[in-house]
Amino acid sequence: MQTIAVIDFETSGLAPGGGGRATEIAAVLVRDGRVVGNFQSLMKTGVWVPPFIEQLTGISNQMLDEAPPAAEVMREVAAFTQGCPIVAHNAPFDRGFWQAELALAGCEPDPAHEFACTVLLARRIYPEAPSCKLGQLAQFHRLPDSGRAHRALADASTTAHLLLRIQQDVARIFAAELGGLPVDHALLMHLQRANKAAMKRAVQDFVRRRHPVQSTA
């Protein structure tokens, strides 16, 4: 069974290129339709957290002063997610910090760490949803309450439950096209780039390319 790592960062700014650093990371492992593990830690980088970020996340500068070094945390989470493809909500944001913090920690990139994005997938699979914000999608699908928003483990847990819902719905909606094949990370990456109006054809194309023997007409 494929294990997918769902990650979320809390940060001091919008992008590492603008001086932002991670303040907290969480990773939730999903396999065979359920959550099977999680990792969470604050991260000490020496960065100063502005008051509005502290108010949003509840993460104070004092908390970060007492946190483990960021490099140590990133080495731990890299080992925790080794060999797993990754999912995040608004993946470009998390991917930027993931790559930057791993590089600062001296970690070699893991080829398995390709990112799928639940924002892009939700836009294609749930056009009727009022918003693709994580909280709105959680309410729309009545996902389990994972705790305070804008904390890494709560947001990663909510995203993990959203991922499970997406996998279930893709399997149900495109059951004929999939022919029993699993909704794996590779299919999610294919669908997130697909034309919204041609999702059925996108699934058919994926099945035809990846599993030609089981291809549907």
Side-chain angles (χ1 to χ4, degrees):
M1 295 291 178
Q2 182 183 56
T3 303
I4 297 174
V6 182
I7 73 163
D8 185 81
F9 279 102
E10 299 304 326
T11 69
S12 67
L14 294 176
R21 293 294 304 271
T23 57
E24 186 179 39
I25 186 171
V28 175
L29 301 184
V30 170
R31 182 172 63 243
D32 193 25
R34 61 193 180 94
V35 172
V36 296
N38 62 67
F39 172 97
Q40 176 275 334
S41 181
L42 294 170
M43 304 167 61
K44 182 178 181 179
T45 65
V47 69
W48 178 75
V49 177
F52 77 95
I53 296 286
E54 182 176 334
Q55 184 176 11
L56 177 69
T57 65
I59 299 172
S60 69
N61 287 290
Q62 181 178 356
M63 291 166 64
L64 296 178
D65 285 342
E66 300 169 357
E72 176 185 315
V73 173
M74 290 307 299
R75 287 192 287 269
E76 289 180 7
V77 75
F80 182 74
T81 61
Q82 183 177 9
C84 300
I86 295 177
V87 166
H89 199 71
N90 189 20
F93 173 86
D94 292 284
R95 181 173 56 227
F97 280 97
W98 178 262
Q99 294 171 345
E101 294 293 347
L102 283 176
L104 289 169
C107 297
E108 291 293 326
D110 186 333
H113 288 162
E114 293 186 289
F115 277 72
C117 179
T118 47
V119 171
L120 295 179
L121 290 163
R123 286 175 181 165
R124 284 153 177 77
I125 299 178
Y126 308 119
E128 72 280 14
S131 167
C132 284
K133 292 182 179 180
L134 184 58
Q136 292 288 322
L137 286 167
Q139 291 180 9
F140 182 73
H141 291 298
R142 299 181 180 178
L143 301 180
D145 184 354
S146 299
R148 175 175 177 161
H150 303 297
R151 287 302 300 264
L153 185 56
D155 286 353
S157 296
T158 298
T159 303
H161 287 294
L162 176 59
L163 169 64
L164 293 174
R165 178 61 185 264
I166 288 171
Q167 289 179 307
Q168 292 168 6
D169 287 341
V170 169
R172 173 180 55 81
I173 295 167
F174 303 108
E177 290 74 26
L178 288 168
L181 294 173
V183 180
D184 62 10
H185 190 270
L187 175 56
L188 296 177
M189 290 193 65
H190 180 74
L191 292 181
Q192 74 182 8
R193 297 187 292 265
N195 187 309
K196 297 178 186 179
M199 295 294 287
K200 179 177 178 179
R201 188 173 65 203
V203 174
Q204 291 172 331
D205 290 345
F206 176 84
V207 173
R208 191 158 42 240
R209 289 205 299 265
R210 295 293 297 271
H211 306 278
V213 174
Q214 301 184 52
S215 167
T216 57

